[in-house]
Structure formats: C-alpha cells, structure tokens
Amino acid sequence: MNCFNELPAHVWPRNAQRQDDGVVTIAGVALPQLAEDYATPVMVIDEDDFRSRCRDMARAFGRPEFVHYASKSLLTRTIARWVDEEGLSLDVASEFELDIALRADFPAERITAHGNNKSDRFLRDCVRHQVGQVVLDHPDEIVTLDSLARRYNVVQPVLVRVTPGVEAHTNEMIATAHEDQKFGFSVASGAAWDAVRAAHNAENLDLVGLHCHIGSQVFDADGFKLAAERVLALYSRLHSEAGVTLPKLDLGGGYGIAYVDDQSPLDIDALAASLLAAVDKTAAELGIEPPIVLAEPGRAISGPAAVTVYTVGAVKDTQVGPHSWRRYVAVDGGMSDNIRPALYDAEYDGRLVNRFTEGEELPSRIVGSHCESGDVLINHIDLPDDVQAGDYFAMPGTGAYCQPMSSNYNAQPKPAIVSVRGGRATLMLRRETVDDFLAREA
C-alpha cells in the first residue's frame, strides 16, 4: 500500500485511525463527515488525547498543579475547563486570556499571569481576582504592581523572569533566553539581581520564585538544565545575603513535538527526571533547599491533539527547471488559519483523509487560497498524483498557535473548532460568518 496512506502515530492524534475504506477517523468520528457538517477548514481536537497529555505532564513533574498549561497555544472556555478538570494550573499572557479563564470558572489561585508589557488594567485584574502569581518582566512593573496590591490591601505573589543567556537550538523567532530580546531581566548584566532585590523588598509583593523560558520547539534537554543551574545561582545569592529561601522555580515550557514523520518528540518523562535531578544536585552543591520545579507546556499538550481538515481545490503543474516540475495543490485555507509556515518556516505532515491514494508520488507544494505568494502550508511534500479537487486533506499538529494566531486576511472566516470523543463530535467554537465581520462596523 502507498506509504502516503499511513498515519505516523507520533505525529497524528492518539485516537486517529485509517479505516478499511480509507476514511480517517479520530475517536471514532469520520473527518470527511465533520468537513461536510462544519465546512472547511475545520480544526478537530481529540479530547482524550489532550487530556492524556495533561496527565502525562502531571505524572512527569510530580503533581498536576506544578504543570501550568500555556493558554497562548490554544484557549477557549472548554479548553480551560479540561485543564481545570485535569488539575493543572494555567498561564495567561493577556488581559483577555485572563477573562476567558475566569469566565470558564478556572480557579484564580492556579493562574499565572505573563507578559512583557502588561497594562495597568491587566495588573489590576490580577490583583483584584487574586491570581496565583504574576511574572514580573520590567522594573516599572514591580513598582506598579506593588502599588496596586497596596490599594487592594493584599499581598500579591510574584515571580521574576530572568534571562540566563542560554542559546536554545530553535528558530530565532521563538528563542527567548538569549540576552538581546524583549523578555525578562538579564542575569549577566546584573539586572536580574536588582529586580530580585526590588521584588523582595516591596511591601505588598511576595517573591516566591524565579522564572525563565529558553524558547519554543526545543529538543535539546541540556538547555533546560543549564538554565536551571544559572538561575539557581541567584537563589543561592539571595539565601546567603538575605537569608531568603525561594520555594518555586519555573523553568517554562517549549518542549518540542513531532510535526513530520522524521522528527521525534521530546521525551517528557526523561526530560522531567533529568531536570528534577539536576535541580536537586545543583541546590545541594549550593547549599540551598531545592525549590519546587514548575513547568509550562502548551504546544506539547494541545499541538498533537488536533488536525485541520481542508478541501482540495486547484491542482496544477508548474515547470521549475528545464526537466523538472512541481505540482501545486491549493486548499481552501492557508496563512489566515496557519501563519506558522510563513512566519518561521514551520513544517507539517499532511494526508488525504477521505480515501486511499495509489498514485505515483510527485514533488508537490500545499498552498493556501490567499493573495500572497508566501501563502504556503507545506513547502516540500511528495504527494500522490491522484490527489484531485474535492478531496479532503488534513494536517496534524495544528492544535498549537494556529487558532490563536489566525487572521481574517482576504476576509477569510476563522474556522470552527470541533472536539471529538467516544464517537461523538461537539462544536467548541463556531465558524465565523460575514455577519461577524459586519457587526464590528460602526
């Protein structure tokens, strides 16, 4: 059988299967049927896959509340409820993300608020709702948050975000621990130590730990350990100079997942075991109590749990050399529902999900329907030559950052999101309509 008909298990949702008639199902629900019911593009989320990855993280890091799901990867009220029901904590990075979580009745004490440029209103809402912790990112924020906490007569727990100068082996646009970037306080320059002292001395702030994040889609576990060692040096200094023991160490997320067949996801159990051992060892060498290690996975939970289904439209062959051709296969979505390939050359797998294919494989490119030459979803793929208009083509790994970064370019409606479980489909987020566009006009 054509290998294009196979679904790489480490790339596709855990409950994805190709049936005897060639139709792909997830959790017993046929993807072509969902395409017909909800129109394409449509994002389909395997609920049990999502929940199982929450449990995997909780097991690896010791307790569910030590794992903070990074809601920026994908957030709806339903997603927030799943995370809550699995006992995990939640990260938010904006005022509206906080609002969505609270409207889903997510416990505020298990919320961490991020952001390099939090508005006064965002900080006020964090204090007013008594979120579990706020991650401090610049000097003025320390003063502002302390003042707001004093106004509301509360003590706000905080973490200080530091940049340990670790070069993550990932795309430059998603590396976050090197010195020359917008997040956090530099360890090397001394800014981190100044921020730690300022937060510790603020009357209405409770410094509970430090935070760092080396980047996203990282496969090298050594970077996480190196970051931990450098940040723990600040814990030691604070302990020796002020007698203060910080109880928490947040090492962020960014765990790499497999988007294509030849990639392997980061082994979370091995990473967590290695990371926890490294923290314990370094703390012992420094003579301090080892802090609780917090993790912030987003992509590693939501990414592999979802696929996006498209309808194939135009198919044409283009000569790219004297004796070479490339087949262009256009689908009815593109950069409006998945900007990642255009933004930082993200790779994806893709398969027909309505039938088997038996054609000869040709060098091909999957492109979207937008008025941009860069509207490319899969730049290089060997696609069977019997793919035709009307087929349903699905890309796995789209549960992270696709919907949150989506746009309405060319007045393209944002897709529906449908969850599947136990043979049933549930609409999570409906497809946009032109009335939604017009409703915002003054």
Side-chain angles (χ1 to χ4, degrees):
M1 184 177 291
N2 192 323
C3 65
F4 187 75
N5 293 313
E6 299 174 5
L7 305 179
H10 60 297
V11 177
W12 284 70
R14 288 173 171 170
N15 293 300
Q17 292 184 330
R18 191 179 291 278
Q19 304 301 319
D20 292 342
D21 60 356
V23 169
V24 174
T25 63
I26 298 180
V29 181
L31 294 183
Q33 187 62 55
L34 293 176
E36 293 172 15
D37 291 344
Y38 297 101
T40 53
V42 58
M43 181 186 290
V44 182
I45 301 180
D46 182 346
E47 179 179 346
D48 284 331
D49 182 305
F50 185 101
R51 288 179 179 272
S52 70
R53 294 178 194 276
C54 290
R55 293 191 289 271
D56 290 347
M57 292 289 176
R59 181 189 65 250
F61 286 95
R63 293 175 60 174
E65 63 269 28
F66 294 169
V67 178
H68 295 239
Y69 172 68
S71 66
K72 63 182 180 178
S73 68
L74 180 66
L75 181 64
T76 66
R77 286 183 295 179
T78 298
I79 293 291
R81 292 184 189 117
W82 291 353
V83 173
D84 182 24
E85 289 165 4
E86 295 299 331
L88 272 59
S89 299
L90 187 73
D91 283 345
V92 298
S94 73
E95 182 181 328
F96 278 13
E97 284 184 355
L98 175 60
D99 285 346
I100 292 169
L102 294 174
R103 293 190 189 200
D105 296 323
F106 197 95
E109 65 271 16
R110 296 212 316 270
I111 294 177
T112 295
H114 280 279
N116 70 300
N117 187 32
K118 304 179 195 72
S119 67
D120 287 356
R121 180 177 175 182
F122 185 17
L123 291 173
R124 184 202 66 197
D125 286 349
C126 290
V127 171
R128 188 163 59 90
H129 292 287
Q130 296 186 291
V131 302
Q133 50 204 17
V134 175
V135 180
L136 300 170
D137 206 276
H138 63 90
D140 291 346
E141 189 172 68
I142 300 173
V143 177
T144 300
L145 187 61
D146 184 40
S147 176
L148 286 167
R150 188 178 306 112
R151 184 189 310 171
Y152 283 90
N153 195 31
V154 300
V155 175
Q156 175 62 55
V158 296
L159 303 171
V160 171
R161 179 163 181 168
V162 303
T163 52
V166 175
E167 292 292 337
H169 299 294
T170 187
N171 187 286
E172 181 183 358
M173 299 304 292
I174 50 178
T176 56
H178 54 286
E179 297 290 342
D180 188 13
Q181 48 91 33
K182 71 178 187 177
F183 292 108
F185 299 90
S186 166
V187 173
S189 72
W193 175 244
D194 292 342
V196 167
R197 287 193 306 170
H200 172 62
N201 292 329
E203 292 184 7
N204 286 75
L205 302 183
D206 178 19
L207 179 63
V208 297
L210 305 184
H211 172 283
C212 73
H213 181 71
I214 67 172
S216 295
Q217 192 60 356
V218 178
F219 292 95
D220 183 3
D222 289 342
F224 295 102
K225 291 191 289 185
L226 178 58
E229 292 168 1
R230 292 185 179 180
V231 175
L232 282 170
L234 288 175
Y235 284 68
S236 177
R237 184 176 178 184
L238 188 62
H239 183 265
S240 63
E241 294 190 15
V244 174
T245 299
L246 299 180
K248 299 179 181 180
L249 170 59
D250 191 330
L251 292 174
Y255 314 136
I257 67 170
Y259 281 101
V260 293
D261 195 9
D262 62 359
Q263 292 178 341
S264 297
L266 190 62
D267 185 329
I268 298 300
D269 287 323
L271 167 72
S274 176
L275 201 53
L276 295 175
V279 169
D280 286 346
K281 179 176 180 291
T282 303
E285 292 171 350
L286 293 170
I288 59 175
E289 189 72 20
I292 294 169
V293 174
L294 307 180
E296 298 177 348
R299 179 198 318 269
I301 293 176
S302 67
V307 306
T308 300
V309 184
Y310 302 93
T311 301
V312 173
V315 178
K316 66 180 180 181
D317 296 327
T318 300
Q319 189 167 5
V320 296
H323 306 289
S324 60
W325 295 73
R326 190 196 312 277
R327 175 156 291 182
Y328 277 76
V329 177
V331 297
D332 57 349
M335 64 193 307
S336 64
D337 61 84
N338 189 350
I339 191 63
R340 296 185 66 254
L343 189 61
Y344 32 71
D345 299 323
E347 296 180 285
Y348 282 93
D349 184 54
R351 312 283 160 135
L352 289 194
V353 294
N354 57 302
R355 61 180 177 88
F356 288 121
T357 62
E358 300 297 339
E360 178 184 351
E361 293 185 353
L362 299 176
S364 303
R365 182 168 287 166
I366 307 297
V367 298
S369 300
H370 300 83
C371 232
E372 294 286 339
S373 296
D375 181 25
V376 176
L377 290 173
I378 303 179
N379 201 32
H380 302 288
I381 185 171
D382 291 327
L383 206 63
D385 62 8
D386 60 347
V387 173
Q388 58 191 4
D391 278 330
Y392 291 127
F393 183 85
M395 289 170 46
T398 56
Y401 300 104
C402 293
Q403 191 274 338
M405 298 172 75
S406 62
S407 73
N408 294 122
Y409 183 47
N410 290 155
Q412 181 83 349
K414 293 180 182 179
I417 303 179
V418 180
S419 65
V420 291
R421 190 184 202 188
R424 298 184 60 182
T426 303
L427 181 63
M428 182 185 297
L429 200 67
R430 67 167 174 80
R431 179 181 175 88
E432 283 185 324
T433 68
V434 69
D435 289 337
D436 292 321
F437 289 22
L438 298 176
R440 297 181 60 220
E441 291 193 10

